[in-house]
Amino acid sequence: MKKSNQRASGILLSITSLPSEYGIGTMGKAAYEFVDFLKKSGQSYWQMLPVGPTGYGNSPYQSYSSFAGNPYLIDLSILCEEGLLTQEECRSYSWGNTPARVNYYVIEANRLTLLRQAFARGKDDPALHQFRQENAGWIEDYALYMGIKNRMGLRPWSLWDEDIKRREPAAMDYWRQEVKEDIDFYCFIQYHFYKQWNSLRNYAHENGIALIGDIPIYAAMDSADTWADGKVFMLNENCDPIDVAGCPPDAFSATGQLWGNPIYNWDYLKETDYDWWIRRLRHITNMFDVTRIDHFRGFAGYYAIPYGDQTAENGQWRTGPGMDFFNAVKRHLGQVDLIAEDLGYLTPDVIQLREDTGYPGMKVLQFAFDSREESDYLPHNYDHNCVVYTGTHDNDTTRSWFDTADPADVEHAKKYLDVCDKEKGAWAFIRCAMMSTANLCVIPMQDYLNLGGEARMNVPSTLGGINWQWRMVPGAASEELAARIRELTELTCR
């Protein structure tokens, strides 16, 4: 693997987008084949989206846990090879009829049913019990939370009965017995998630591919994190948030973005030497070689919106923990490889914090071609210590950008890239990014495939629709495409 200060490149692809069997991308054969594709393409990195269990809306940025893995990513065929399921059982369920889309309705309806069948056959595995002991610091609370949540009709924990909402000892003892089978089941799921994860990660490393993970800055309100570690968050006496996270109004949203995540109690975190965050970062940096921290600016200053507001218009900026937090990270974890997602509204304190940490920031080419003014995202303005993307999971595909962006911006891009045909626009973006001085270049797989807006991964501040559904069809990651990517990679010395 290349050192972080050497020129390198990689591909951004969510595991869910792999063309695996049974309706959604998993850590099985298709994932190993994608590692092979990366190697043939001359790539050094596979960047993923967060891999935690998703809740309502299926967003990987709104997870039930900062430590658990997504059960949907467990490969069923591997469970069949281990004798926990049969292919006939897996094929007896519907997994959707559109190969280029995840049908979350059928995934939600059928996946856990099959995993419970596997649990009935594998719950006595001695290695499972050892895994559970080694991960007791988070797995017991997570499994109990999921067990109670199922019994409560999937209601958020803030709407549970008062005694268990507040984790009163008698209620905790009662529910541990009441949902014991569910607790064992969810620990079983995590054992197999991490067993498959470690195998895939080792295969990637054996083939010279490093993994880039993604950590949302905020935890979901409805999560095991906020239920089990309430002091970490700004909650009132009724366990409701005092303020919630979001972004202020801007040119893209007249009323701002209302995310709804609880704000951190940074005073308490400082008193504990940021213990919860250190445990969270230790966990993810053990999983990944490099970690992208989403919404990095929140460590310099964060936007707090009164709980109950329907828009983000009445929020206030507050000072974040700054270098005090990152100094604690260095004390506890040493030098960790992080990418600072420093997009959006940047003030001098955010820029200074990024420079003080030394972490590379992000450059997105789709933001570069503002016809009204010079942009920091134009490649001739880069320094080496950054990561360049054509777009991210929140952007449209680059091919679609040529159809939907401001016509003046599109013309500016065509002149800068010296391209006339929008059919070749995505590859012109890719070539420009690869030729830039950025140490690392990461391209979404959709752009290498030159796909249109139907392949967009997410539209920010929206729920449902096409969000998180896109899948790569079988055969798309072809030998011909690998050869073309490798040629450009070698040409640009990555």
Side-chain angles (χ1 to χ4, degrees):
M1 297 174 202
K2 296 185 179 182
K3 295 180 181 179
S4 58
N5 61 351
Q6 292 180 320
R7 288 176 64 78
S9 58
I11 295 178
L12 169 61
L13 182 73
S14 172
I15 293 180
T16 59
S17 296
L18 290 165
S20 306
E21 287 187 285
Y22 309 125
I24 193 169
T26 67
M27 298 179 286
K29 180 182 177 183
Y32 287 77
E33 290 176 344
F34 188 67
V35 170
D36 295 340
F37 174 81
L38 289 166
K39 184 178 182 180
K40 292 174 186 174
S41 303
Q43 302 307 289
S44 303
Y45 292 92
W46 178 0
Q47 181 169 333
M48 304 172 181
L49 300 186
V51 295
T54 55
Y56 180 71
N58 305 302
S59 170
Y61 294 89
Q62 295 286 347
S63 177
Y64 286 144
S65 170
S66 293
F67 300 87
N70 190 341
Y72 297 162
L73 304 185
I74 294 174
D75 187 71
L76 300 181
S77 293
I78 292 177
L79 297 185
C80 292
E81 293 169 5
E82 295 174 346
L84 299 175
L85 292 173
T86 67
Q87 295 288 357
E88 289 74 22
E89 288 171 333
C90 297
R91 290 170 183 152
S92 67
Y93 291 90
S94 168
W95 300 108
N97 300 315
T98 309
R101 285 269 177 266
V102 178
N103 185 328
Y104 282 104
Y105 177 80
V106 298
I107 297 294
E108 291 165 1
N110 300 330
R111 206 75 174 194
L112 291 182
T113 301
L114 270 173
L115 290 176
R116 284 192 183 273
Q117 291 177 240
F119 167 66
R121 295 165 185 157
K123 60 184 176 181
D124 295 323
D125 185 345
L128 164 59
H129 300 295
Q130 181 179 347
F131 170 84
R132 189 165 169 174
Q133 290 174 349
E134 292 171 351
N135 293 275
W138 63 267
I139 199 169
E140 298 299 330
D141 274 321
Y142 167 71
L144 177 59
Y145 162 84
M146 292 302 299
I148 300 172
K149 189 173 184 63
N150 284 337
R151 193 66 63 89
M152 294 282 187
L154 300 181
R155 281 182 293 162
W157 69 266
S158 58
L159 299 180
W160 293 354
D161 298 338
E162 284 295 317
D163 55 355
I164 191 59
K165 180 172 82 171
R166 299 180 183 280
R167 295 171 60 89
E168 294 177 4
M172 293 287 284
D173 290 342
Y174 169 82
W175 280 106
R176 286 189 184 108
Q177 291 302 314
E178 184 70 12
V179 297
K180 183 180 183 305
E181 186 80 359
D182 267 359
I183 293 172
D184 293 342
F185 169 61
Y186 281 101
C187 289
F188 170 85
I189 286 178
Q190 292 307 306
Y191 166 65
H192 281 279
F193 174 91
Y194 281 102
K195 183 180 177 181
Q196 293 189 11
W197 173 264
N198 290 334
S199 177
L200 175 61
R201 182 187 59 192
N202 291 341
Y203 184 78
H205 287 175
E206 289 166 4
N207 286 276
I209 305 300
L211 303 179
I212 302 177
D214 195 330
I215 185 169
I217 186 174
Y218 291 116
M221 178 58 199
D222 187 19
S223 68
D225 304 302
T226 52
W227 177 63
D229 289 291
K231 289 183 179 180
V232 169
F233 307 92
M234 295 293 289
L235 306 179
N236 63 22
E237 65 280 356
N238 195 42
C239 299
D240 292 323
I242 297 172
D243 296 299
V244 295
C247 284
D250 57 22
F252 299 100
S253 175
T255 60
Q257 296 181 32
L258 182 64
W259 300 338
N261 305 73
I263 297 294
Y264 290 111
N265 185 341
W266 286 114
D267 290 339
Y268 172 80
L269 280 162
K270 181 178 173 63
E271 290 172 6
T272 61
D273 206 17
Y274 304 101
D275 175 69
W276 182 86
W277 255 104
I278 298 299
R279 286 186 284 116
R280 188 186 189 200
L281 279 172
R282 179 182 288 115
H283 184 81
I284 196 166
T285 54
N286 284 337
M287 292 180 67
F288 293 94
D289 303 287
V290 183
T291 301
R292 170 191 178 272
I293 297 187
D294 190 56
H295 198 61
F296 175 83
R297 74 140 299 120
F299 292 102
Y302 57 92
Y303 195 66
I305 304 158
Y307 176 64
D309 278 17
Q310 299 303 303
T311 73
E313 295 169 279
N314 297 320
Q316 294 180 337
W317 285 104
R318 296 179 186 161
T319 303
M323 275 304 296
D324 190 63
F325 169 74
F326 291 104
N327 288 334
V329 171
K330 188 172 183 178
R331 282 197 308 274
H332 289 281
L333 303 180
Q335 186 62 42
V336 292
D337 287 327
L338 301 177
I339 296 171
E341 188 273 290
D342 56 347
L343 306 175
Y345 175 60
L346 298 187
T347 48
D349 58 330
V350 182
I351 297 169
Q352 187 63 53
L353 180 61
R354 187 196 64 213
E355 292 178 354
D356 290 345
T357 62
Y359 301 139
M362 291 175 56
K363 305 293 185 183
V364 178
L365 277 185
Q366 286 190 27
F367 297 156
F369 301 106
D370 188 333
S371 58
R372 298 165 299 177
E373 59 186 3
E374 175 80 352
S375 170
D376 290 340
Y377 295 113
L378 285 168
H380 63 260
N381 290 323
Y382 297 174
D383 61 17
H384 295 285
N385 190 34
C386 65
V387 186
V388 60
Y389 300 79
T390 49
T392 73
H393 64 276
D394 281 335
N395 291 98
D396 205 344
T397 66
T398 299
R399 178 166 180 161
S400 183
W401 180 89
F402 275 87
D403 291 325
T404 58
D406 185 291
D409 294 349
V410 172
E411 286 305 310
H412 181 30
K414 287 179 177 180
K415 290 179 181 178
Y416 189 93
L417 301 169
D418 192 23
V419 61
C420 297
D421 185 356
K422 70 178 183 181
E423 297 298 313
K424 299 177 182 178
W427 273 90
F429 263 60
I430 292 167
R431 183 183 179 90
C432 182
M434 292 286 274
M435 293 181 69
S436 76
T437 59
N439 283 337
L440 179 58
C441 174
V442 178
I443 305 297
M445 190 64 185
Q446 294 98 312
D447 284 351
Y448 273 129
L449 296 171
N450 200 20
L451 297 177
E454 76 283 352
R456 182 170 185 164
M457 199 64 183
N458 178 55
V459 180
S461 299
T462 66
L463 195 65
I466 66 170
N467 291 352
W468 319 115
Q469 293 182 10
W470 176 75
R471 295 183 73 200
M472 182 169 59
V473 297
S478 64
E479 297 283 341
E480 294 77 13
L481 180 59
R484 185 178 183 185
I485 296 172
R486 187 178 194 92
E487 180 181 32
L488 179 58
T489 304
E490 292 175 348
L491 179 68
T492 55
C493 300
R494 292 193 179 273

PDB file of all heavy atoms in Angstrom, residues 140 204 308 432:
ATOM      1  N   GLU A 140     -23.406  -5.602  24.254  1.00  0.00           N
ATOM      2  CA  GLU A 140     -24.514  -5.965  25.135  1.00  0.00           C
ATOM      3  C   GLU A 140     -25.588  -4.881  25.138  1.00  0.00           C
ATOM      4  O   GLU A 140     -26.785  -5.166  25.071  1.00  0.00           O
ATOM      5  CB  GLU A 140     -24.005  -6.236  26.553  1.00  0.00           C
ATOM      6  CG  GLU A 140     -23.028  -7.400  26.657  1.00  0.00           C
ATOM      7  CD  GLU A 140     -23.631  -8.725  26.211  1.00  0.00           C
ATOM      8  OE1 GLU A 140     -24.855  -8.919  26.347  1.00  0.00           O
ATOM      9  OE2 GLU A 140     -22.861  -9.588  25.725  1.00  0.00           O
ATOM     10  N   ALA A 204      -8.338  -7.745   0.985  1.00  0.00           N
ATOM     11  CA  ALA A 204      -7.982  -6.459   0.377  1.00  0.00           C
ATOM     12  C   ALA A 204      -6.515  -6.131   0.643  1.00  0.00           C
ATOM     13  O   ALA A 204      -5.770  -5.747  -0.273  1.00  0.00           O
ATOM     14  CB  ALA A 204      -8.887  -5.354   0.919  1.00  0.00           C
ATOM     15  N   GLY A 308     -37.559  20.752  18.255  1.00  0.00           N
ATOM     16  CA  GLY A 308     -38.964  21.026  17.984  1.00  0.00           C
ATOM     17  C   GLY A 308     -39.184  21.991  16.839  1.00  0.00           C
ATOM     18  O   GLY A 308     -40.286  22.029  16.274  1.00  0.00           O
ATOM     19  N   CYS A 432      -8.991  15.141 -15.160  1.00  0.00           N
ATOM     20  CA  CYS A 432      -8.574  16.369 -14.484  1.00  0.00           C
ATOM     21  C   CYS A 432      -8.237  16.083 -13.016  1.00  0.00           C
ATOM     22  O   CYS A 432      -7.218  16.569 -12.497  1.00  0.00           O
ATOM     23  CB  CYS A 432      -9.683  17.402 -14.592  1.00  0.00           C
ATOM     24  SG  CYS A 432      -9.304  18.993 -13.843  1.00  0.00           S
TER      25      CYS A 432
END
